[in-house]
Amino acid sequence: MVEINSSFHKPHRRQTYERWARAVPDHFRFSAKIPRVMTHERRLGDCDDLLEAFLDQIGGLGAKLSVLLVQLPPSLGFDPQTTGRFFAALRAKTDRRLVCEPRHASWFEPEAGALLSRFHVGRVAADPAPVPAASMPGGWRELAYFRFHGAPRVYYSDYEAGQLLDISGRLFQASASAAEVWCIFDNTARGHALGNALSVDAAVRQMTFSSRNARPSATRSYPNAVQSIVR
């Protein structure tokens, strides 16, 4: 799986998405970021026309499109009316799973979590976390979606071995309650994302193997780790 970040910055033709879908195996899945014109410019308001255009374009991925990511600017506080209208419109237009990465403290109060849950929107667990609650998933709990941007320097810093083991444990723990877990490494500026993802993937596989040996009847799906490379 991979997270498409370039869709945040500019539109792509439907044919581009179709080409990407053809280029990967049948089991491969994409998540895609909602364009910034909706989140940062219109700030979730009056987006119906933009949603229609974006969903038509991204539809080129077909069944390989799994998740849509709504990343919000740090200055955008939680407003139940605006947020409710946006997610109601988005949910009415697509059956893809939705996740939201808010960065204003007001989004981590119970009212915001309840609204996200109502529309089946998972709240992203992010590192670095703007507030302590942002480090763990929230909202709709069936999908746990982690994004590791690099710390202390966002996009640049490498995660050390001990940190990667801790991340692996967090993912494995999340898999006990979520039906599916996604882990995105976004520290791509110096090429650390792929190595970090592979290290976490290996650690989670070992945890999964040990757990299945201890509990042979376990059938839950376990998380995968992936870097974000499509910019």
Side-chain angles (χ1 to χ4, degrees):
M1 59 194 183
V2 72
E3 180 184 284
I4 300 172
N5 190 62
S6 57
S7 57
F8 177 73
H9 299 284
K10 62 182 181 180
H12 299 303
R13 296 182 305 160
R14 185 182 178 96
Q15 292 91 331
T16 299
Y17 290 114
E18 291 172 347
R19 186 173 71 250
W20 289 349
R22 291 194 300 269
V24 297
D26 289 343
H27 66 274
F28 198 94
R29 293 295 179 267
F30 293 87
S31 70
K33 193 183 288 188
I34 294 285
R36 62 171 289 122
V37 65
M38 288 187 254
T39 55
H40 289 57
E41 296 177 23
R42 296 197 185 180
R43 300 171 73 82
L44 303 184
D46 192 25
C47 292
D48 280 11
D49 58 331
L50 299 175
L51 283 172
E52 291 283 358
F54 173 68
L55 292 173
D56 179 68
Q57 295 160 10
I58 203 76
L61 292 174
K64 293 177 182 176
L65 173 62
S66 183
V67 182
L68 294 174
L69 165 65
V70 181
Q71 185 187 53
L72 302 178
S75 62
L76 185 58
F78 174 69
D79 174 35
Q81 285 75 36
T82 302
T83 304
R85 285 193 295 267
F86 176 82
F87 281 115
L90 182 54
R91 180 54 72 200
K93 297 176 188 297
T94 182
D95 60 356
R96 306 304 182 189
R97 285 169 294 179
L98 307 177
V99 293
C100 180
E101 183 178 3
R103 289 178 282 180
H104 190 278
S106 60
W107 283 85
F108 300 92
E109 299 298 328
E111 183 183 7
L115 186 146
L116 294 176
S117 295
R118 187 163 75 247
F119 290 106
H120 288 187
V121 180
R123 194 188 70 219
V124 169
D127 182 72
V131 299
S135 65
M136 292 302 293
W140 187 59
R141 298 303 183 95
E142 285 299 304
L143 172 61
Y145 198 104
F146 292 78
R147 302 185 82 228
F148 292 94
H149 300 292
R153 189 180 181 191
V154 173
Y155 307 134
Y156 285 84
S157 291
D158 192 10
Y159 287 98
E160 298 178 354
Q163 293 173 301
L164 295 172
L165 188 60
D166 178 68
I167 289 169
S168 304
R170 290 170 61 189
L171 301 181
F172 187 79
Q173 184 178 20
S175 72
S177 56
E180 187 169 341
V181 180
W182 282 56
C183 176
I184 304 295
F185 281 94
D186 196 26
N187 52 339
T188 56
R190 290 182 175 169
H192 297 308
L194 180 57
N196 288 173
L198 291 173
S199 295
V200 167
D201 186 61
V204 170
R205 287 176 185 274
Q206 182 58 48
M207 293 175 185
T208 303
F209 177 78
S210 299
S211 175
R212 285 176 175 166
N213 282 346
R215 294 180 297 161
S217 62
T219 58
R220 178 170 295 276
S221 297
Y222 290 90
N224 291 312
V226 65
Q227 69 163 333
S228 171
I229 59 172
V230 183
R231 293 189 171 278

